[in-house]
Amino acid sequence: MSDMTNADNELEPRLITETGLDQRLADIIEPVLIGLGFRLIRVRMLNQNGATMQVMAERNDGTMTVQDCEEVSMAISPVLDVEDPIDKEYHLEVSSPGIDRPMVRKSDFVRWQGHLVKCETSILIDNRKRFRGKIVEAGADGFTLERDQVAYGEEQKVTIPFTALSDAKLILTDDLIRDALRADKLAKAQAANQNEADDQE
C-alpha cells in the first residue's frame, strides 16, 4: 500500500469542501492548521448541545492524538474569537477523522485502496448517484470501485471521476481496523525515530 499521506502532500487540496458558514469556518481554520503541521478534514456546525463546531483534522502522516486535538483547539480558538464568524455561543469539538473516516483527498483513495467505501456523486454515473464497494484502483482523475451490490445489467466495476464526488466515507470492517491500527503504529514509530534523529543533531 503506497502511502501518499506524508509531508510532501500537506498542501494537497480537498476534493470535498464545505459550503455556506462551514466554508467560512474552514477558510479561517485551515491556514492555522497548515501552520501547525496538520491537515483539515472537515468542519461542520451541528445543532447539538446548543451549537457545536466539529473540526476533524490529522497530522500529515495520518495520526492524531488527544494532545494534538488540544493543540489544535488552543490554536484555533483565539483566531475564531477574533474573526467571530458565529453569532451565538457554541462548543468547539476537535477530533481525528476516525477509522471510518471521510475521504476528502485523492491520497485518501490511494492510501485506503482495497477497502470498502460508500460514496455519492453530484451527477449520474451508470444511472446511479450512490455507490458502495472496494477501491481497486485510484489515479490522478478518479478511482475504480468493485461494487459489492450489483443490479441486473450493471458492471461489477465502476470508475468515478474525482470531479463528480460529493461525499465519500470508509466503511468499518475488520480489515480496515487492522490496517488502520498498523498504519498508526508505523506512523508513530517513524515519528519517534525522527525525534531521536533530531535530538542527536
Side-chain angles (χ1 to χ4, degrees), residues 1 99 112-115 172-186:
M1 178 168 35
I99 294 176
W112 298 107
Q113 208 164 299
H115 290 284
L172 202 57
T173 62
D174 289 343
D175 287 345
L176 177 61
I177 292 169
R178 184 195 65 233
D179 286 356
L181 291 173
R182 186 181 298 143
D184 190 52
K185 189 175 180 180
L186 182 66

Side-chain angles (χ1 to χ4, degrees), residues 84-180:
D84 200 21
I86 301 164
D87 58 2
K88 58 184 175 184
E89 285 202 16
Y90 63 91
H91 173 71
L92 176 61
E93 178 185 286
V94 177
S95 69
S96 77
I99 294 176
D100 54 344
R101 58 177 296 132
M103 306 279 277
V104 297
R105 290 180 171 86
K106 291 179 182 181
S107 59
D108 292 339
F109 291 88
V110 173
R111 182 178 189 204
W112 298 107
Q113 208 164 299
H115 290 284
L116 284 176
V117 68
K118 61 180 176 183
C119 60
E120 287 186 38
T121 56
S122 54
I123 57 170
L124 284 174
I125 297 172
D126 286 357
N127 296 316
R128 281 182 177 231
K129 282 189 169 186
R130 289 190 173 153
F131 300 89
R132 179 190 148 113
K134 184 190 295 185
I135 304 166
V136 290
E137 192 178 343
D141 299 321
F143 61 99
T144 302
L145 281 186
E146 188 174 275
R147 297 190 252 195
D148 58 1
Q149 301 157 341
V150 183
Y152 179 76
E154 287 184 330
E155 292 290 324
Q156 183 86 39
K157 290 184 179 175
V158 60
T159 299
I160 299 171
F162 286 127
T163 53
L165 202 61
S166 63
D167 194 31
K169 185 177 172 148
L170 283 174
I171 296 171
L172 202 57
T173 62
D174 289 343
D175 287 345
L176 177 61
I177 292 169
R178 184 195 65 233
D179 286 356

Side-chain angles (χ1 to χ4, degrees), residues 6-155:
N6 56 28
D8 298 340
N9 291 324
E10 64 187 39
L11 300 178
E12 179 189 357
R14 292 181 299 149
L15 301 165
I16 300 168
T17 56
E18 297 77 9
T19 57
L21 175 60
D22 292 347
Q23 182 180 6
R24 174 144 162 65
L25 297 172
D27 291 345
I28 294 167
I29 292 168
E30 195 158 25
V32 178
L33 292 180
I34 290 169
L36 293 171
F38 292 93
R39 299 195 305 178
L40 179 64
I41 306 300
R42 183 172 75 195
V43 179
R44 276 201 182 147
M45 275 307 293
L46 306 169
N47 290 324
Q48 61 189 45
N49 302 336
T52 299
M53 183 193 305
Q54 181 190 67
V55 177
M56 281 188 187
E58 66 185 357
R59 288 198 173 275
N60 295 324
D61 64 7
T63 61
M64 190 72 173
T65 65
V66 173
Q67 290 82 4
D68 292 338
C69 291
E70 289 172 4
E71 181 183 348
V72 167
S73 182
M74 288 181 356
I76 63 177
S77 287
V79 179
L80 289 166
D81 287 346
V82 169
E83 295 285 338
D84 200 21
I86 301 164
D87 58 2
K88 58 184 175 184
E89 285 202 16
Y90 63 91
H91 173 71
L92 176 61
E93 178 185 286
V94 177
S95 69
S96 77
I99 294 176
D100 54 344
R101 58 177 296 132
M103 306 279 277
V104 297
R105 290 180 171 86
K106 291 179 182 181
S107 59
D108 292 339
F109 291 88
V110 173
R111 182 178 189 204
W112 298 107
Q113 208 164 299
H115 290 284
L116 284 176
V117 68
K118 61 180 176 183
C119 60
E120 287 186 38
T121 56
S122 54
I123 57 170
L124 284 174
I125 297 172
D126 286 357
N127 296 316
R128 281 182 177 231
K129 282 189 169 186
R130 289 190 173 153
F131 300 89
R132 179 190 148 113
K134 184 190 295 185
I135 304 166
V136 290
E137 192 178 343
D141 299 321
F143 61 99
T144 302
L145 281 186
E146 188 174 275
R147 297 190 252 195
D148 58 1
Q149 301 157 341
V150 183
Y152 179 76
E154 287 184 330
E155 292 290 324

